[in-house]
Amino acid sequence: MSEEALPFKEKYYPGLEEYLDFYEESVRDIEGFWDSMARGLEWYKTWDKVLDDSNPPFYRWFTGAETNINLNALDRWIGTPVFDKVAYYWEGEPGDRRTISYRELYREVNRLAWSLREEVGIKPGDTVTIYLPMIPELPTTMLAVTRLGGIHSVVFSGFSSRALADRIVDAKAKVLVTADGFYRRGRVVRLKDSADEAIALAREQGVEVEKVVVVKRAGVEVSWSEGRDVWYHDLLEKAPSRAYVRPEPRKATDVLFILYTSGTTGRPKGIMHSVGGYMTYVYNVFQWNWDPAPGDVYWCAADIGWITGHTYIVYGPLMNGVTSVMYEGAPDYPDPGRIWSIVDRYDVTTFYTSPTLLRLLRKYGDQWVEKHSLETLRLLGTVGEPINPEVWKWYYEKIGKRKAPIVDTWWQTETGAAMISPAPGISLVPLKPGSATLPLPGIVADVLDYTGDPAEPGKKGLIVIKKPWPGMLMGIWGDPERYVRTYWSTFSRPEEGIWIYYPADYAVRDEDGYFWLLGRADEVLNVAGHRLGTIELEDAILTHPAVSEAAVVGAPDPVKGQVPVAAVVLREGYEPSPELEEDIKRRVRELIGPIAVPARILFVKKLPKTRSGKIMRRILIALLEGRPIGDTSTLEDPTAVEEVKKAVEEFKRLAKK
Ligand code: PRX
């Protein structure tokens, strides 16, 4: 952490002081600041009030205002040079390519919106679940839904049918948009099959999906339900070729979309983002992060199924008239140079990805990088997990050739866009490898100790946000109580009128005020930059007939950051075996998806528990991390530790091989 600040000063604005001046100004009058920032956007009607804080923590931004995000993502470009600019360079995994201009995107969104209204019957306020791979029809569908005033709930195409069903049921979605299949590592993933299974599972829980729109991507045979299923291309055909659908006026305080994320219980949370607040925050933060210039080609190599894709592949770039790259497949297919060959093919200037992907590509060896020029890169970004200083340096030297600053962005599904990160669009502060640097303008962040006092510089504590911001979640779909409990009950003092947002991340602030984010402080794992709840995994494992008890924790992993490891106690009559291990893993794959599959099932006779019967996950974690297990006085049966210890050692031995 004593890393010297890197000398960007010569090449960029002499940042820190100028930045801090701008920042101080922004937080002195939060409402005034966001008022001026929101004026760069198109509204049908401007606001009566910037921030309604009369019912905290249910803050509402831009009350009285009306707009539609399409106005800013598409319609505002009509008659400007952007309209004929490329919106997306798309590349499929097999190597097929499409180029889509803003004009073409606008046309297709209008035609799809027309048909979704006339043929499918979508009305303002309806929720539509979108289960699509990384194909251009995904942003098109999101925009068509929001154009009609509908609410989208995008479900990552790597999730299983069960995970999809739970999300359909929670959102009570009547319409599902999916595809026949897509390509992943050279194989076709049959997405429509999972969608059909999910619809059947949702029906068992009382939610009937009435219409299914299917994009033909892979050209595989699919089962078809007459009257319910309709091809996406047939819908487009039905619309007039010059169809125009007026973007439905929405209240700024309406829900723009729901996106599910994992929490500390078995049930995922439907995070709700607002029409006006999200739009304003994303529009501005995108500029601050990426300093967009007319010739830029920007590539955020995330999946739109996660918040990063919503903000940094769909709404952020489109609202800023930027050209983006979109890629369907695996990053190392057919070889580990795939990412870099795409950078060179499109002359990518701005590249944004996760530390996990960087660690993976670095592991393959530099020969895969050196085959490519990468000369056009001028700005690099990371998101999703802490980035280790070694990987930061590799990224900076090997990929950016020491001329591209690294924008390490700390944020969450709940925050809408980056919160702590460099802002080269304003003035670049000196960077420190592994630190996300400073809060963005308008963001009041701090690090507190357990008692709620500010932590001393250099001391580990918990990051908090002390003032509302426009990109904040509006709440949890259908569960206002959980919203208050999860995010606002740890440090808030309502009786004094003090409300503090709690992200559940550890952090350190150094002497220069820089933030170093250190991972989750709750029972949530971060596997390859994806959030997984330990309880969600345990619930899935416990559905296996052989399992009586399960404890899931994260084990350190050199590529993925963390991988889930499960300690499992079997029921009478079952014996540990490799087949049983595979079978339990398969269960997790079916119930949640491939990203959640444990790296290892440790079969034990007993889990370490307190005398009151609480599983002591921290003992497992300490063993996996090779740390002392600490105080064991509350342990009910010390022999349980010995057994777990043996199992962990065996796991580590195998992992090394
Ligand atoms: O623990 C933090 C980690 O990812 C969590 C948020 O996950 P999710 O909602 O899925 O959103 C991921 C993409 C924004 C955070 O609570 N995290 C995210 N970015 C960083 C990070 N940890 C360290 N450094 C980051 N830059």
Side-chain angles (χ1 to χ4, degrees), residues 259-262 271 306-309 312 352 355 382-387 407-418 420-421 434-436 463 501 503-506 516-522 524-526 529-532:
L259 182 59
Y260 286 87
T261 189
S262 293
I271 302 301
W306 311 105
I307 190 68
T308 306
Y312 288 96
Y352 185 30
T382 73
V383 58
E385 322 147 67
I387 180 162
V407 179
D408 178 352
T409 60
W410 175 85
W411 57 296
Q412 308 181 297
T413 305
E414 293 86 343
T415 71
I420 311 275
S421 82
S435 166
I463 187 170
Y501 174 81
D505 264 18
Y506 290 116
W516 300 74
L517 282 309
L518 304 173
R520 298 289 304 186
D522 57 6
V524 169
L525 307 183
N526 189 335
H530 302 316
R531 254 161 90 169
L532 293 171

Side-chain angles (χ1 to χ4, degrees), residues 142 341 406 572 578:
M142 292 162 76
S341 76
I406 294 179
E572 281 303 320

